[in-house]
Structure formats: C-alpha cells, structure tokens
Amino acid sequence: MLKTIAAFDRIGEENAFAVLARANALIAQGRDVINLGIGQPDFRTPDHIVEAAIKALRDGHHGYTAANGIVPLREAVAADLHKRYKVEVSPDEVMIMPGGKPTMFMAILMFGEPGVEIMYPDPGFPIYRSMIEFTGATPVPVPVREKNGFAFSAEETLSLITQKTRLLILNSPANPTGGVTPKSEVDRLVAGLEKFPDLAIMSDEIYDQMVYDGESHVCLLSYPSIRDRLILLNGWSKTYAMTGWRLGYAVWPGKLYDYARKLAVNLHSCVNASAQYAGLAALTGPQDEVHRMVAEFDKRRKIVVEGLNKLPGVSCAVPKGAFYAFPNVSKTGWKAKPLASSLLEEAGVAIIGGPDFGILGEGYVRLSYANSTENILKALDRMGEFLKELAHLTRLILRSRRSEATAASRRMRRPVPQIL
Ligand code: PLP
C-alpha cells in the first residue's frame, strides 16, 4: 500500500475543467453544445505575439532562462505597471510564472499550515480554497454578496481577521461574479489593514483590463502602506487571449521573492523561453487587440444580462468586470448544480453551478460570455425553453401535485425540479 500524505485527500480542483471535458465528450457524440462554461477568451492570440514566439525559437531562444524570467520581460512588466497605475515596481520584484495559478499555489504554500487561517472570497476562484485545505490551514470565507454588486465589503472583511489570520486573498474584477470592488471600499479596507501589519495580502488582478461602465481598476500596488506584504498576481492569459501559453507574473515583496524563486527552481526551473518573448511582444507592442476584445466583451455582457433577465425565475445583476455573468437562479425552483448539469445534458448549454465556487454560490450559476454573440443568443433561447418547461413542473409541485409533476416530467423527459 503506497502511503502518501493526507493533504492529497484534501486537495480540490476546478469543476470548469470537468464541465469542459463533459461538453467535449457530448460534442464527440455528435451533440450540439454551446460552451459558456470555461473562462477563456474565444479570440486568437494576436498575430504579432505568435510571431514573436516563433522568431524567438528561430533566434535560438530554446534553452533554460533564469528561474525568475528574462530581464527584458521583467522590465516590461514593471514599465507596464508604471504606465497603467503610476506605481514604482523594480524588475527585481517581478517574477515570471507559468500562468496565474502558480502564484496562488506558492503564496498559499508560504503561509498555510495547521492552526492558521487564510481568508478567501466566497463565491470565488475554487483553487484558493483547494490550496488552503491542502496546506492544512483553516479556510475562512469572505462573503461576496449580490446586494453589494459582488464587491467585497471592507467592514465585513476586517471583522473576520483574527490573531490566527496569515493571508488575505482578494480578487477584483472577480471570477465567478464579475464583481468589481470600488475604490472607496478598497481605501477603507487598506486603512483597516494598517492595524494588522503581520497579515499578508494576495491580490489576484488577472482581469484588471476588463472593467466596464467607466469604472477603472484599482491596483493594490498603489497603496504604500501594504506594499511590503502585498503579493500581486497577474498574467497574460485573459488580457491577451493566451490561456494555453501558460504565462503569468507576480510581484513579491521582500524575502518572499527569494522563496518564490527557489520554489520555481524546485518546481519548473523556468518558464517556456519562447512564451516569455511572446509576453514581451504583448506588453511592448500595440494594444489595439486588447481594446477590441474588451469592447466586444462589453457588447456581449449587455446582451447576456438583458437575455438572462428575461428568463423565468432568473435575475442577473450587471457585472462590472471580467467576462462572467452570475445570475441568481434561486427562483427557478432548482438547486444550482443540478440545474447546470441538466442544462448541459438536456439543452446543450454548458455553464457552471455556483456551488463550484463556494458555499455562498448556491442559488447562482456562472456563464462565461467569452463566446460569439450568435452562440450566446442561441444558448439564451435554449435556456429559456428549458426553464419554461421547468417552471410548469415547479408550479405543479408547489400546488402539491407532485404525482402530476412526476408524470409530466417523465413525459417531457425532464428531471423533477428540486425545490429549494
Ligand atoms: N485567477 C483567477 C481569478 C482566474 O479566474 C484564473 C483563471 O480562470 C486564474 C487566476 C488563473 O489564470 P491562469 O490560467 O493564467 O493560470
């Protein structure tokens, strides 16, 4: 019997990948499935970025690089942060990473151990909690509420900090809600955090370029009072449609930088060399494609929200960032996960149930609008048809006519709704 450590029984995963696999399996069987499940831009990586990677390989950049990344790329990241947020970052604080995820992996590993607490947004990106549990630390969810536009509340966040809290994870613009926390709330949070100088903060800003309605992104690096304990997570995946390249970066404070560099040496040695040259072209080249993508997401965002709000039992707050809508489906009479899986299996629309993002995700589903307008409209139609049938069954159940509902659901080949 192999004896592995117990931590591996606690590690979780991201259900979006399981839904993607199921959607692809259905497609392989000849089913017509529209995928609004996975969170990745449906655009191609801009040509000049692809060309830069090809040129790098032709120029002989095929070997190992420094574990923390090539100097010109670290300089370009620092310059980009300065250009966009007017913050001073030394290239020596920047580490190039194989995607955005490894930064959260490393940061949580640095602070998590049994007996300590790590705070993370709920609903939030599932890997935060998974990694916290892996380390044996106690996960402390910070509620992200619809009534606050899915922004985090400074007051509530501060009230959850204890003597045991080591790390606070923040994410705005947020996955899965599309929530953007306004500057006034971030100001209040940072002012409160000044009373907890031993608390580290990881700010996941991977969607920083995707904010709408004239909002502007608040980069946590712009607060000097927390700079010495702030880890910034960002990357190329979403902004430049580069999810498969595996390219991200972190800004690490003080001694954490060297810990992360050593972890990188132990784990992956360095990031793919040609991808780093591609990342350099992305940051230093024209940004028109980024603006075009964001404008297109904005257009689809409006279509999705309008369409969702017309569906029976569904209401959708307007997301201010990222490329997700997080509609409230509690009035459909269904729990979110069975609803999401029935929509995939029966109506050919892949979405993710809110509970896959935390306990407070019940009653919601996540749709990624990183898909064509045509597909989005088709998906909304299919959801509408499906939900109308469900509404009929739910009405029968509510009138205590369960046997009729069961017979009707059999006839319609629909599962009996699970009333919340
Ligand atoms: N952080 C958030 C909030 C995300 O939604 C994602 C991807 O979905 C990541 C980080 C990971 O990004 P990457 O694909 O670069 O690892």
Side-chain angles (χ1 to χ4, degrees), residues 128-139:
Y128 305 144
R129 186 179 172 112
S130 161
M131 273 307 297
I132 297 168
E133 292 195 326
F134 181 72
T135 65
T138 304

Side-chain angles (χ1 to χ4, degrees), residues 359-370:
I359 300 159
L360 295 176
E362 185 53 271
Y364 298 88
V365 292
R366 187 192 80 174
L367 281 82
S368 154
Y369 47 86

Side-chain angles (χ1 to χ4, degrees), residues 14 17 39-40 98-102 104 124-126 128 171 173-176 204-207 233-238 242-244 246-248 323-324 366:
E14 222 189 312
F17 282 96
Q40 68 177 336
K101 256 182 194 171
M104 64 185 80
F125 191 54
Y128 305 144
N171 174 221
N175 178 6
D204 180 344
E205 302 186 14
I206 198 124
Y207 297 100
L233 180 162
N234 207 329
W236 284 258
S237 296
K238 317 288 176 174
M242 291 177 72
T243 48
R246 308 315 299 136
L247 188 65
F323 41 65
Y324 305 109
R366 187 192 80 174

Side-chain angles (χ1 to χ4, degrees), residues 43-105:
F43 302 100
R44 288 170 62 105
T45 306
D47 285 345
H48 70 281
I49 300 177
V50 176
E51 291 306 324
I54 296 168
K55 179 171 184 310
L57 286 171
R58 293 225 164 95
D59 289 351
H61 295 296
H62 48 70
Y64 292 126
T65 74
N68 55 346
I70 58 172
V71 174
L73 185 55
R74 291 193 286 114
E75 286 172 347
V77 169
D80 178 60
L81 289 168
H82 185 263
K83 185 175 83 191
R84 293 191 296 120
Y85 301 121
K86 307 280 167 291
V87 291
E88 298 295 335
V89 173
S90 157
D92 294 338
E93 294 172 287
V94 176
M95 186 162 306
I96 307 304
M97 306 285 283
K101 256 182 194 171
T103 298
M104 64 185 80
F105 183 94

Side-chain angles (χ1 to χ4, degrees), residues 74-352:
R74 291 193 286 114
E75 286 172 347
V77 169
D80 178 60
L81 289 168
H82 185 263
K83 185 175 83 191
R84 293 191 296 120
Y85 301 121
K86 307 280 167 291
V87 291
E88 298 295 335
V89 173
S90 157
D92 294 338
E93 294 172 287
V94 176
M95 186 162 306
I96 307 304
M97 306 285 283
K101 256 182 194 171
T103 298
M104 64 185 80
F105 183 94
M106 288 186 182
I108 296 168
L109 212 55
M110 280 182 208
F111 291 97
E113 62 181 331
V116 311
E117 294 174 358
I118 297 183
M119 293 166 57
Y120 68 102
D122 183 344
F125 191 54
I127 301 306
Y128 305 144
R129 186 179 172 112
S130 161
M131 273 307 297
I132 297 168
E133 292 195 326
F134 181 72
T135 65
T138 304
V140 177
V142 178
V144 177
R145 299 180 197 281
E146 184 180 357
K147 70 172 166 54
N148 294 339
F150 294 118
F152 54 77
S153 141
E155 197 187 335
E156 194 167 14
T157 307
L158 292 166
S159 74
L160 292 167
I161 299 174
T162 72
Q163 290 288 325
K164 293 185 191 157
T165 318
R166 290 253 181 100
L167 176 68
L168 165 64
I169 300 173
L170 299 170
N171 174 221
S172 174
N175 178 6
T177 59
V180 169
T181 303
K183 182 167 184 307
S184 54
E185 206 61 24
V186 182
D187 287 350
R188 263 196 290 279
L189 178 70
V190 172
L193 288 175
E194 286 166 14
K195 297 194 196 92
F196 302 96
D198 299 329
L199 178 62
I201 301 133
M202 186 191 82
S203 182
D204 180 344
E205 302 186 14
I206 198 124
Y207 297 100
D208 67 341
Q209 305 236 30
M210 290 160 191
V211 281
Y212 313 106
D213 297 337
E215 299 265 343
S216 43
H217 175 68
V218 186
C219 177
L220 269 279
L221 287 172
S222 20
Y223 293 87
S225 68
I226 52 166
R227 267 299 292 275
D228 61 345
R229 53 206 169 99
L230 174 74
I231 302 153
L232 178 84
L233 180 162
N234 207 329
W236 284 258
S237 296
K238 317 288 176 174
T239 312
Y240 296 98
M242 291 177 72
T243 48
W245 293 72
R246 308 315 299 136
L247 188 65
Y249 69 85
V251 177
W252 297 95
K255 67 177 185 183
L256 301 192
Y257 189 89
D258 214 43
Y259 289 171
R261 187 191 57 76
K262 283 188 190 153
L263 267 176
V265 172
N266 279 268
L267 194 62
H268 56 261
S269 297
C270 68
V271 175
N272 178 310
S274 61
Q276 293 192 56
Y277 284 91
L280 182 59
L283 291 184
T284 55
Q287 302 298 302
D288 328 18
E289 294 281 301
V290 176
H291 301 144
R292 199 178 61 76
M293 268 192 295
V294 175
E296 182 62 29
F297 284 142
D298 189 14
K299 221 169 74 196
R300 297 173 187 174
R301 176 180 71 114
K302 291 171 182 145
I303 294 169
V304 166
V305 173
E306 194 186 321
L308 285 169
N309 278 318
K310 286 186 188 146
L311 302 182
V314 178
S315 65
C316 185
V318 179
K320 298 265 185 217
F323 41 65
Y324 305 109
F326 202 60
N328 186 324
V329 294
S330 54
K331 295 216 169 73
T332 60
W334 275 56
K335 287 199 184 287
K337 275 183 69 104
L339 177 64
S341 76
S342 297
L343 274 166
L344 174 57
E345 301 295 330
E346 323 253 338
V349 179
I351 58 172
I352 315 285

